[in-house]
Structure formats: structure tokens, C-alpha cells
């Protein structure tokens, strides 16, 4: 019998044309440049976590400004594709979200994954270019023709 994560990954994989299987930690990392997204169940096996380190930001005023804008983005009304956080020991801006398993199927997860990817990659690209926040969202970067 396959578990719920395996079922979701198989379904998502068929939509994305990827072979997705959980690793020995019962997680799955999907690298679609410029970011890597990890999918993993919580300890109760009732929620799916989606997580990505977006980009390392060196200390200074630029990082302060980026983190301030990320906090502002966190205050936007739901539904939000992700919540920004900061990992101090590696200086990374990161993004995460969680969803109850009972609402997910492969198609719904693909849509949520696409929105998460778009948000993360747009912030990555902007920061890499020295911009504090991304320009207006674009659907051109969404992989595999998915829509946010």
C-alpha cells in the first residue's frame, strides 16, 4: 500500500512529467532553477509542507530592506502562495507554506506548487539583480505551462 505522500508525488510527477518519489526522510526535493523546492509531510502526517531557500542575502542595508519588504508581503491577505522567513545561520531568505492533506490531489498541488515556484523565483531573480522586490508577477517563468 502506498502512503499519501507517495500518491501525491506520483500524481504531481505525472502532471510535471517528472519521476517524483520520497527519499529516506520521506521528503522530495524538486530543483527547477533558480530554486529548489522541498515537499514533506508534518509529523502527524496531516499537512504537507512546501519549503525553499530562496537566496542568501549578505548583511547590510540591502538585506534589511529586502526583509522589510518580505514582512510586508507576509501581511498580504490570503490566499498567499507562501510565507517568507529568514534563516540567520545561512543568511537565506526562505519561503514556506503548509496545506492540509485532505484538500490536496495532484492537480491542486500542481497549481499550488506553480504559484509557490513563481513567488520564490521572482524574489530570487530580483534580489540577484540588486532589486529589493520583484516587478509585477509574470506567468512567463511558471514551469510546464502551469498557471498560478
Amino acid at each position: 500500500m502506498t502512503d499519501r505522500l507517495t500518491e501525491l508525488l506520483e500524481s504531481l510527477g505525472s502532471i510535471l512529467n517528472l519521476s517524483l518519489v520520497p527519499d529516506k526522510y520521506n521528503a522530495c526535493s524538486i530543483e527547477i532553477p533558480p530554486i529548489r523546492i522541498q515537499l514533506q509531510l508534518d509529523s502527524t502526517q496531516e499537512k504537507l509542507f512546501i519549503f525553499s531557500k530562496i537566496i542568501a542575502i549578505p548583511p547590510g542595508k540591502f538585506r534589511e530592506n529586502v526583509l522589510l519588504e518580505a514582512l510586508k508581503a507576509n501581511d498580504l491577505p490570503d490566499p498567499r502562495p507562501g510565507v517568507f522567513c529568514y534563516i540567520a545561520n545561512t543568511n537565506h531568505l526562505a519561503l514556506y507554506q503548509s496545506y492540509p492533506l485532505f484538500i490536496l490531489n495532484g492537480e491542486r498541488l500542481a497549481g499550488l506548487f506553480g504559484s509557490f515556484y513563481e513567488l520564490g523565483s521572482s524574489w530570487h531573480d530580483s534580489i540577484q539583480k540588486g532589486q529589493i522586490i520583484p516587478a509585477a508577477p509574470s506567468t512567463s517563468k511558471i514551469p510546464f505551462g502551469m498557471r498560478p
Side-chain angles (χ1 to χ4, degrees):
M1 180 172 137
T2 61
D3 64 27
R4 186 72 174 112
L5 180 61
T6 301
E7 291 173 7
L8 277 174
L9 291 175
E10 287 175 357
S11 184
L12 178 62
S14 69
I15 293 168
L16 302 179
N17 285 333
L18 296 171
S19 175
L20 302 176
V21 293
D23 62 17
K24 66 181 179 180
Y25 302 106
N26 211 23
C28 180
S29 289
I30 305 168
E31 186 164 357
I32 303 173
I35 62 174
R36 177 183 303 207
I37 300 172
Q38 181 169 322
L39 304 161
Q40 185 170 5
L41 295 181
D42 72 339
S43 60
T44 65
Q45 307 253 326
E46 294 178 2
K47 289 185 179 181
L48 178 72
F49 286 113
I50 303 176
F51 171 82
S52 180
K53 284 184 180 179
I54 303 301
I55 193 169
I57 310 170
K61 190 65 176 173
F62 179 73
R63 179 170 72 190
E64 290 176 27
N65 291 336
V66 168
L67 295 179
L68 179 62
E69 293 303 321
L71 286 173
K72 290 178 186 177
N74 284 348
D75 196 37
L76 294 173
D78 281 329
R80 289 179 304 212
V83 178
F84 290 101
C85 60
Y86 178 69
I87 304 172
N89 62 343
T90 63
N91 296 322
H92 272 86
L93 178 66
L95 186 64
Y96 72 93
Q97 190 56 279
S98 67
Y99 299 100
L101 270 181
F102 73 88
I103 70 162
L104 296 176
N105 59 35
E107 191 171 306
R108 179 173 249 181
L109 180 55
L112 297 170
F113 182 91
S115 296
F116 187 92
Y117 170 82
E118 172 64 27
L119 181 62
S121 66
S122 66
W123 277 72
H124 174 278
D125 292 349
S126 294
I127 292 167
Q128 191 158 6
K129 293 175 186 171
Q131 299 169 349
I132 295 172
I133 58 172
S138 164
T139 57
S140 63
K141 288 203 61 163
I142 298 176
F144 314 110
M146 292 188 291
R147 291 193 166 79

Coordinates of all heavy atoms in Angstrom, one line a residue, residues 29-110:
S29 N 12.7 16.7 -2.9 CA 13.2 18.0 -3.4 C 13.1 18.0 -4.9 O 13.5 17.1 -5.6 CB 14.7 18.2 -3.0 OG 14.7 18.4 -1.6
I30 N 12.6 19.1 -5.4 CA 12.4 19.3 -6.8 C 13.2 20.6 -7.2 O 12.9 21.7 -6.7 CB 10.9 19.5 -7.2 CG1 10.1 18.3 -6.7 CG2 10.8 19.7 -8.7 CD1 8.6 18.5 -6.8
E31 N 14.2 20.4 -8.0 CA 15.0 21.6 -8.4 C 14.6 22.1 -9.8 O 14.7 21.3 -10.8 CB 16.5 21.3 -8.4 CG 17.3 22.5 -8.7 CD 18.8 22.3 -8.3 OE1 19.2 21.2 -7.8 OE2 19.6 23.2 -8.6
I32 N 14.1 23.3 -9.8 CA 13.7 23.9 -11.1 C 14.4 25.3 -11.0 O 13.9 26.2 -10.2 CB 12.2 24.1 -11.2 CG1 11.5 22.7 -11.2 CG2 11.9 24.8 -12.6 CD1 10.0 22.8 -11.2
P33 N 15.5 25.5 -11.6 CA 16.3 26.7 -11.5 C 15.4 27.9 -11.6 O 14.5 27.9 -12.4 CB 17.3 26.6 -12.6 CG 17.5 25.2 -12.8 CD 16.1 24.6 -12.6
P34 N 15.6 28.9 -10.7 CA 16.7 29.1 -9.9 C 16.6 28.5 -8.4 O 17.4 28.8 -7.6 CB 16.8 30.6 -9.9 CG 15.4 31.1 -9.9 CD 14.7 30.1 -10.8
I35 N 15.5 27.8 -8.1 CA 15.3 27.4 -6.8 C 15.0 25.9 -6.7 O 14.7 25.2 -7.7 CB 14.1 28.2 -6.1 CG1 12.8 27.9 -6.8 CG2 14.4 29.7 -6.0 CD1 11.6 28.5 -6.1
R36 N 15.2 25.4 -5.5 CA 14.8 24.0 -5.1 C 13.7 24.0 -4.1 O 13.8 24.8 -3.1 CB 16.1 23.3 -4.5 CG 15.8 21.9 -4.1 CD 17.0 21.3 -3.5 NE 18.1 21.4 -4.4 CZ 19.1 20.6 -4.4 NH1 19.2 19.6 -3.5 NH2 20.0 20.7 -5.3
I37 N 12.7 23.2 -4.4 CA 11.5 23.2 -3.5 C 11.4 21.8 -2.9 O 11.5 20.8 -3.6 CB 10.2 23.5 -4.3 CG1 10.3 24.9 -4.9 CG2 9.0 23.4 -3.4 CD1 9.2 25.3 -5.9
Q38 N 11.2 21.8 -1.6 CA 11.1 20.6 -0.9 C 9.7 20.4 -0.4 O 9.0 21.3 0.1 CB 12.0 20.5 0.4 CG 11.9 19.2 1.1 CD 13.0 19.1 2.2 OE1 14.1 19.5 1.9 NE2 12.6 18.5 3.3
L39 N 9.2 19.2 -0.6 CA 7.8 18.8 -0.1 C 8.0 17.7 0.9 O 8.7 16.7 0.7 CB 7.0 18.2 -1.3 CG 6.9 19.1 -2.5 CD1 6.5 18.3 -3.8 CD2 5.8 20.1 -2.3
Q40 N 7.3 17.9 2.0 CA 7.4 16.9 3.1 C 6.2 17.0 4.0 O 5.6 18.0 4.2 CB 8.6 17.2 4.0 CG 8.9 16.2 5.1 CD 10.3 16.5 5.7 OE1 11.0 17.4 5.4 NE2 10.7 15.6 6.6
L41 N 5.8 15.8 4.5 CA 4.6 15.8 5.5 C 5.1 16.2 6.9 O 6.2 15.9 7.2 CB 4.0 14.3 5.5 CG 3.4 13.8 4.2 CD1 2.8 12.4 4.5 CD2 2.3 14.8 3.7
D42 N 4.2 16.7 7.6 CA 4.5 17.0 9.0 C 4.5 15.7 9.8 O 4.2 14.7 9.3 CB 3.5 18.0 9.6 CG 2.1 17.5 9.8 OD1 1.7 16.4 9.2 OD2 1.3 18.1 10.6
S43 N 4.8 15.8 11.1 CA 5.0 14.6 11.9 C 3.7 13.9 12.1 O 3.7 12.7 12.4 CB 5.6 15.0 13.3 OG 4.8 15.9 14.0
T44 N 2.5 14.6 12.1 CA 1.2 14.0 12.2 C 0.7 13.3 10.9 O -0.3 12.7 11.0 CB 0.2 15.0 12.8 OG1 0.0 16.0 11.8 CG2 0.6 15.6 14.1
Q45 N 1.4 13.6 9.8 CA 1.0 13.2 8.5 C -0.3 13.7 8.1 O -1.1 13.1 7.3 CB 1.0 11.6 8.5 CG 2.3 11.0 8.9 CD 3.1 10.4 7.8 OE1 2.6 9.9 6.8 NE2 4.4 10.5 7.9
E46 N -0.7 14.9 8.6 CA -1.9 15.6 8.2 C -1.7 16.8 7.3 O -2.7 17.3 6.8 CB -2.7 15.9 9.5 CG -3.1 14.7 10.3 CD -3.8 15.1 11.5 OE1 -4.1 16.3 11.8 OE2 -4.2 14.1 12.3
K47 N -0.5 17.3 7.3 CA -0.2 18.5 6.5 C 1.0 18.3 5.6 O 1.9 17.6 6.0 CB 0.1 19.7 7.4 CG -1.1 20.3 8.1 CD -0.8 21.5 8.8 CE -2.0 22.0 9.5 NZ -1.7 23.3 10.3
L48 N 0.9 18.9 4.4 CA 2.1 18.9 3.5 C 2.8 20.3 3.6 O 2.2 21.3 3.5 CB 1.6 18.7 2.1 CG 2.8 18.7 1.0 CD1 3.6 17.5 1.2 CD2 2.2 18.8 -0.4
F49 N 4.1 20.2 3.9 CA 4.9 21.4 3.9 C 5.6 21.6 2.6 O 6.1 20.6 2.1 CB 5.9 21.4 5.1 CG 5.4 21.5 6.4 CD1 5.4 20.5 7.3 CD2 4.8 22.8 6.8 CE1 4.8 20.7 8.6 CE2 4.3 22.9 8.1 CZ 4.3 21.9 9.0
I50 N 5.7 22.8 2.1 CA 6.4 23.2 1.0 C 7.4 24.2 1.4 O 7.1 25.2 2.1 CB 5.5 23.7 -0.2 CG1 4.5 22.7 -0.5 CG2 6.4 24.1 -1.4 CD1 3.5 23.2 -1.6
F51 N 8.7 24.0 1.1 CA 9.8 24.9 1.6 C 10.8 25.1 0.5 O 11.1 24.2 -0.3 CB 10.4 24.3 2.8 CG 11.6 25.0 3.3 CD1 11.5 26.1 4.1 CD2 12.9 24.6 2.9 CE1 12.7 26.8 4.5 CE2 14.0 25.2 3.3 CZ 13.9 26.4 4.1
S52 N 11.4 26.3 0.5 CA 12.5 26.6 -0.4 C 13.4 27.7 0.2 O 12.9 28.7 0.7 CB 12.0 27.1 -1.7 OG 13.1 27.4 -2.6
K53 N 14.7 27.5 0.2 CA 15.7 28.6 0.4 C 15.7 29.4 -0.9 O 16.0 28.8 -1.9 CB 17.0 28.0 0.7 CG 17.2 27.5 2.1 CD 18.7 27.1 2.3 CE 18.9 26.5 3.7 NZ 20.3 26.1 3.8
I54 N 15.4 30.7 -0.8 CA 15.3 31.5 -2.0 C 16.7 31.9 -2.4 O 17.1 31.7 -3.6 CB 14.4 32.7 -1.8 CG1 13.0 32.2 -1.4 CG2 14.3 33.5 -3.0 CD1 12.3 31.3 -2.3
I55 N 17.4 32.6 -1.6 CA 18.7 33.2 -1.9 C 19.4 33.7 -0.6 O 18.7 34.2 0.3 CB 18.6 34.3 -3.0 CG1 19.9 34.7 -3.6 CG2 17.8 35.5 -2.4 CD1 19.8 35.6 -4.8
A56 N 20.7 33.6 -0.6 CA 21.5 34.2 0.5 C 21.6 35.7 0.3 O 21.8 36.1 -0.8 CB 22.8 33.5 0.6
I57 N 21.4 36.4 1.4 CA 21.5 37.9 1.3 C 22.6 38.4 2.2 O 22.5 38.1 3.4 CB 20.1 38.5 1.6 CG1 19.0 37.9 0.9 CG2 20.2 40.0 1.4 CD1 17.6 38.3 1.4
P58 N 23.6 39.0 1.7 CA 24.7 39.5 2.6 C 24.2 40.5 3.6 O 23.2 41.3 3.3 CB 25.7 40.0 1.6 CG 25.0 40.3 0.4 CD 23.8 39.4 0.3
P59 N 24.9 40.6 4.7 CA 24.5 41.7 5.7 C 24.6 43.1 5.1 O 25.4 43.3 4.2 CB 25.5 41.5 6.8 CG 26.1 40.1 6.6 CD 26.0 39.8 5.2
G60 N 23.8 43.9 5.7 CA 23.8 45.3 5.2 C 22.4 45.9 5.0 O 21.4 45.3 5.3
K61 N 22.4 47.1 4.6 CA 21.1 47.8 4.4 C 20.2 47.2 3.3 O 19.0 47.1 3.5 CB 21.4 49.3 3.9 CG 20.2 50.2 3.9 CD 19.6 50.4 5.3 CE 18.5 51.3 5.3 NZ 17.8 51.4 6.6
F62 N 20.8 46.6 2.3 CA 20.1 45.9 1.3 C 19.3 44.8 1.9 O 18.1 44.6 1.6 CB 21.0 45.4 0.1 CG 20.2 44.6 -0.9 CD1 19.5 45.3 -1.8 CD2 20.3 43.3 -1.0 CE1 18.8 44.7 -2.9 CE2 19.7 42.6 -2.0 CZ 18.9 43.3 -3.0
R63 N 19.9 43.9 2.7 CA 19.2 42.8 3.4 C 18.1 43.3 4.3 O 17.0 42.8 4.3 CB 20.2 42.0 4.2 CG 19.5 40.8 4.9 CD 20.4 39.8 5.5 NE 21.0 40.3 6.7 CZ 22.0 39.7 7.3 NH1 22.5 38.6 6.8 NH2 22.6 40.2 8.4
E64 N 18.4 44.4 5.0 CA 17.3 45.0 5.9 C 16.1 45.4 5.0 O 15.0 45.1 5.4 CB 17.9 46.2 6.6 CG 18.9 45.9 7.7 CD 19.4 47.2 8.3 OE1 18.8 48.2 8.3 OE2 20.6 47.1 8.8
N65 N 16.4 46.0 3.9 CA 15.3 46.4 3.0 C 14.5 45.2 2.4 O 13.3 45.3 2.4 CB 15.8 47.3 1.9 CG 16.2 48.7 2.5 OD1 15.8 49.1 3.5 ND2 17.1 49.3 1.7
V66 N 15.2 44.2 2.0 CA 14.6 43.0 1.5 C 13.7 42.4 2.6 O 12.6 42.0 2.3 CB 15.6 42.0 0.9 CG1 15.0 40.7 0.7 CG2 16.3 42.5 -0.3
L67 N 14.2 42.2 3.7 CA 13.5 41.6 4.8 C 12.3 42.4 5.2 O 11.2 41.8 5.5 CB 14.4 41.3 6.0 CG 15.5 40.3 5.8 CD1 16.4 40.1 7.0 CD2 15.0 38.9 5.3
L68 N 12.4 43.7 5.2 CA 11.2 44.6 5.5 C 10.1 44.3 4.4 O 9.0 44.2 4.8 CB 11.7 46.0 5.5 CG 10.6 47.0 5.7 CD1 9.9 46.8 7.1 CD2 11.1 48.5 5.6
E69 N 10.5 44.3 3.1 CA 9.6 44.0 2.1 C 9.0 42.6 2.2 O 7.8 42.4 1.9 CB 10.2 44.3 0.7 CG 10.5 45.7 0.4 CD 9.4 46.7 0.5 OE1 8.2 46.3 0.1 OE2 9.6 47.8 1.1
A70 N 9.8 41.7 2.6 CA 9.2 40.3 2.8 C 8.2 40.3 3.9 O 7.2 39.6 3.8 CB 10.4 39.3 3.1
L71 N 8.4 41.0 5.0 CA 7.4 41.1 6.1 C 6.2 41.8 5.6 O 5.1 41.3 5.9 CB 8.0 41.9 7.2 CG 9.0 41.2 8.1 CD1 9.6 42.2 9.1 CD2 8.4 40.0 8.8
K72 N 6.3 42.8 4.7 CA 5.1 43.4 4.1 C 4.3 42.4 3.3 O 3.1 42.4 3.3 CB 5.5 44.6 3.3 CG 6.0 45.8 4.1 CD 6.4 46.9 3.2 CE 7.0 48.1 3.9 NZ 7.5 49.1 3.0
A73 N 5.1 41.6 2.5 CA 4.4 40.6 1.7 C 3.7 39.5 2.5 O 2.7 39.0 2.1 CB 5.5 39.9 0.8
N74 N 4.3 39.2 3.7 CA 3.6 38.3 4.6 C 2.3 38.8 5.2 O 1.5 38.1 5.6 CB 4.5 37.9 5.8 CG 5.6 37.0 5.4 OD1 5.6 36.4 4.3 ND2 6.6 36.9 6.3
D75 N 2.1 40.1 5.1 CA 0.9 40.8 5.6 C -0.2 40.9 4.6 O -1.3 41.3 4.9 CB 1.2 42.2 6.2 CG 0.1 42.7 7.1 OD1 -0.5 41.9 7.8 OD2 -0.1 43.9 7.0
L76 N 0.1 40.4 3.3 CA -1.0 40.4 2.3 C -2.1 39.4 2.7 O -1.8 38.4 3.4 CB -0.4 40.1 0.9 CG 0.6 41.1 0.4 CD1 1.3 40.5 -0.9 CD2 0.0 42.4 0.1
P77 N -3.3 39.6 2.2 CA -4.4 38.7 2.6 C -4.2 37.4 1.9 O -3.6 37.2 0.9 CB -5.6 39.4 2.1 CG -5.1 40.4 1.0 CD -3.7 40.8 1.4
D78 N -4.8 36.3 2.6 CA -4.8 35.0 2.0 C -5.7 35.0 0.8 O -6.6 35.8 0.7 CB -5.2 34.0 3.0 CG -4.1 33.6 4.0 OD1 -2.9 33.7 3.5 OD2 -4.4 33.3 5.1
P79 N -5.5 34.1 -0.1 CA -4.5 33.1 -0.1 C -3.2 33.6 -0.6 O -3.1 34.3 -1.6 CB -5.1 32.0 -1.1 CG -5.9 32.8 -2.1 CD -6.4 34.0 -1.3
R80 N -2.1 33.2 0.1 CA -0.8 33.5 -0.3 C -0.1 32.2 -0.7 O -0.2 31.2 0.0 CB 0.0 34.1 0.9 CG -0.5 35.5 1.3 CD 0.3 36.0 2.4 NE 0.2 35.0 3.5 CZ 0.2 35.4 4.8 NH1 0.4 36.6 5.2 NH2 0.1 34.4 5.7
P81 N 0.7 32.3 -1.7 CA 1.5 31.1 -2.1 C 2.5 30.6 -1.1 O 2.8 29.5 -1.0 CB 2.2 31.5 -3.4 CG 1.5 32.7 -3.9 CD 0.9 33.4 -2.7
G82 N 3.0 31.6 -0.3 CA 4.0 31.2 0.7 C 4.2 32.3 1.7 O 3.7 33.4 1.5
V83 N 4.9 32.0 2.7 CA 5.2 32.9 3.8 C 6.8 33.0 3.8 O 7.5 32.0 3.9 CB 4.7 32.4 5.2 CG1 5.1 33.3 6.3 CG2 3.2 32.2 5.1
F84 N 7.3 34.2 3.9 CA 8.7 34.4 3.9 C 9.2 34.3 5.3 O 8.6 34.6 6.3 CB 9.1 35.8 3.3 CG 8.8 36.0 1.9 CD1 7.7 36.6 1.4 CD2 9.8 35.4 1.0 CE1 7.5 36.7 0.0 CE2 9.6 35.5 -0.4 CZ 8.5 36.2 -0.9
C85 N 10.5 33.8 5.4 CA 11.2 33.7 6.7 C 12.6 33.9 6.4 O 13.1 34.0 5.2 CB 10.9 32.4 7.4 SG 11.4 31.0 6.5
Y86 N 13.4 34.1 7.4 CA 14.8 34.3 7.3 C 15.6 33.3 8.1 O 15.3 33.0 9.3 CB 15.2 35.7 7.8 CG 16.6 36.1 7.7 CD1 17.3 36.2 6.5 CD2 17.4 36.2 8.9 CE1 18.6 36.5 6.4 CE2 18.7 36.5 8.8 CZ 19.4 36.6 7.6 OH 20.7 36.9 7.5
I87 N 16.6 32.7 7.5 CA 17.4 31.7 8.2 C 18.7 32.4 8.5 O 19.6 32.6 7.6 CB 17.7 30.4 7.3 CG1 16.3 29.8 6.9 CG2 18.5 29.4 8.0 CD1 16.4 28.7 5.9
A88 N 18.9 32.7 9.8 CA 20.0 33.6 10.2 C 21.4 32.9 10.0 O 22.3 33.5 9.6 CB 19.8 34.0 11.6
N89 N 21.5 31.6 10.3 CA 22.8 31.0 10.3 C 23.3 30.8 8.9 O 24.5 30.6 8.7 CB 22.8 29.6 11.0 CG 21.9 28.6 10.5 OD1 21.0 28.9 9.7 ND2 22.1 27.4 10.8
T90 N 22.5 30.9 7.8 CA 23.0 30.9 6.4 C 22.7 32.1 5.7 O 23.0 32.2 4.5 CB 22.4 29.6 5.7 OG1 20.9 29.8 5.6 CG2 22.7 28.3 6.4
N91 N 22.0 33.1 6.3 CA 21.7 34.4 5.7 C 20.7 34.2 4.5 O 20.7 35.0 3.6 CB 22.9 35.2 5.2 CG 23.8 35.6 6.4 OD1 23.3 35.9 7.4 ND2 25.1 35.5 6.2
H92 N 19.9 33.2 4.5 CA 18.9 32.9 3.4 C 17.5 33.5 3.7 O 17.0 33.3 4.8 CB 18.8 31.4 3.2 CG 19.8 30.9 2.3 ND1 21.0 30.4 2.7 CD2 19.8 30.6 0.9 CE1 21.7 30.0 1.7 NE2 21.0 30.1 0.6
L93 N 17.0 34.1 2.6 CA 15.6 34.4 2.6 C 15.0 33.1 2.2 O 15.5 32.4 1.3 CB 15.3 35.5 1.6 CG 13.8 35.8 1.4 CD1 13.2 36.4 2.6 CD2 13.6 36.7 0.2
A94 N 13.9 32.7 2.9 CA 13.3 31.4 2.6 C 11.8 31.6 2.4 O 11.2 32.6 2.8 CB 13.6 30.3 3.6
L95 N 11.1 30.6 1.9 CA 9.7 30.6 1.7 C 9.1 29.3 2.1 O 9.7 28.2 1.8 CB 9.4 30.9 0.2 CG 8.0 31.1 -0.3 CD1 7.4 32.4 0.3 CD2 8.0 31.2 -1.8
Y96 N 7.9 29.3 2.8 CA 7.3 28.1 3.1 C 5.8 28.2 3.1 O 5.3 29.3 3.1 CB 7.7 27.6 4.5 CG 7.2 28.4 5.6 CD1 6.0 28.1 6.3 CD2 7.8 29.6 6.1 CE1 5.5 28.8 7.3 CE2 7.3 30.3 7.1 CZ 6.1 30.0 7.7 OH 5.6 30.7 8.7
Q97 N 5.1 27.1 3.1 CA 3.6 27.1 3.2 C 3.3 25.7 3.6 O 4.0 24.7 3.4 CB 3.0 27.4 1.8 CG 1.5 27.6 1.8 CD 1.0 28.7 2.8 OE1 0.9 28.4 4.0 NE2 0.8 29.9 2.3
S98 N 2.1 25.5 4.2 CA 1.6 24.2 4.5 C 0.1 24.1 4.1 O -0.6 25.1 4.1 CB 1.7 23.9 6.0 OG 0.9 24.7 6.8
Y99 N -0.3 22.9 3.8 CA -1.7 22.7 3.3 C -2.2 21.4 4.0 O -1.4 20.4 4.1 CB -1.7 22.5 1.8 CG -1.3 23.7 1.1 CD1 0.0 23.8 0.5 CD2 -2.1 24.8 0.9 CE1 0.4 24.9 -0.2 CE2 -1.7 25.9 0.2 CZ -0.4 26.0 -0.3 OH 0.0 27.1 -1.0
P100 N -3.4 21.3 4.4 CA -4.0 20.1 4.9 C -4.0 19.1 3.8 O -4.4 19.4 2.7 CB -5.4 20.5 5.4 CG -5.6 21.9 5.1 CD -4.4 22.4 4.4
L101 N -3.6 17.8 4.1 CA -3.6 16.8 3.1 C -4.9 16.5 2.5 O -5.0 16.2 1.3 CB -3.0 15.5 3.7 CG -1.6 15.3 3.6 CD1 -1.2 14.0 4.3 CD2 -1.0 15.4 2.3
F102 N -6.0 16.6 3.3 CA -7.3 16.2 2.8 C -7.8 17.1 1.7 O -8.7 16.7 0.9 CB -8.3 16.2 3.9 CG -8.8 17.5 4.5 CD1 -9.9 18.2 3.9 CD2 -8.2 18.1 5.6 CE1 -10.3 19.4 4.4 CE2 -8.6 19.3 6.0 CZ -9.6 20.0 5.4
I103 N -7.2 18.3 1.5 CA -7.7 19.1 0.4 C -6.9 18.9 -0.9 O -7.2 19.5 -1.9 CB -7.7 20.6 0.7 CG1 -6.2 21.1 0.9 CG2 -8.5 20.9 2.0 CD1 -6.1 22.7 0.8
L104 N -5.8 18.1 -0.8 CA -4.9 18.0 -1.9 C -5.1 16.8 -2.8 O -5.4 15.7 -2.4 CB -3.4 18.0 -1.4 CG -2.9 19.2 -0.7 CD1 -1.5 18.9 -0.1 CD2 -3.0 20.4 -1.6
N105 N -4.9 17.0 -4.1 CA -4.8 16.0 -5.1 C -3.7 16.5 -6.0 O -3.2 17.6 -5.9 CB -6.1 15.7 -5.8 CG -6.7 16.9 -6.6 OD1 -5.9 17.8 -7.1 ND2 -8.0 17.1 -6.6
G106 N -3.3 15.7 -7.0 CA -2.2 16.1 -7.9 C -2.4 17.4 -8.6 O -1.5 18.2 -8.7
E107 N -3.6 17.6 -9.1 CA -3.9 18.8 -9.9 C -3.9 20.0 -9.0 O -3.3 21.0 -9.4 CB -5.3 18.6 -10.6 CG -5.5 19.7 -11.6 CD -6.8 19.4 -12.4 OE1 -6.9 18.3 -13.0 OE2 -7.7 20.3 -12.4
R108 N -4.5 19.9 -7.9 CA -4.5 21.1 -7.0 C -3.1 21.4 -6.5 O -2.7 22.5 -6.4 CB -5.4 20.8 -5.8 CG -5.4 22.0 -4.8 CD -6.4 21.8 -3.7 NE -7.5 22.8 -4.0 CZ -8.5 23.0 -3.2 NH1 -8.8 22.2 -2.2 NH2 -9.4 23.9 -3.5
L109 N -2.3 20.3 -6.1 CA -0.9 20.5 -5.7 C -0.1 21.2 -6.8 O 0.7 22.0 -6.5 CB -0.3 19.2 -5.2 CG 1.1 19.3 -4.7 CD1 1.3 20.3 -3.6 CD2 1.6 17.9 -4.3
A110 N -0.3 20.8 -8.0 CA 0.4 21.4 -9.2 C 0.2 22.9 -9.2 O 1.1 23.7 -9.5 CB 0.0 20.7 -10.5

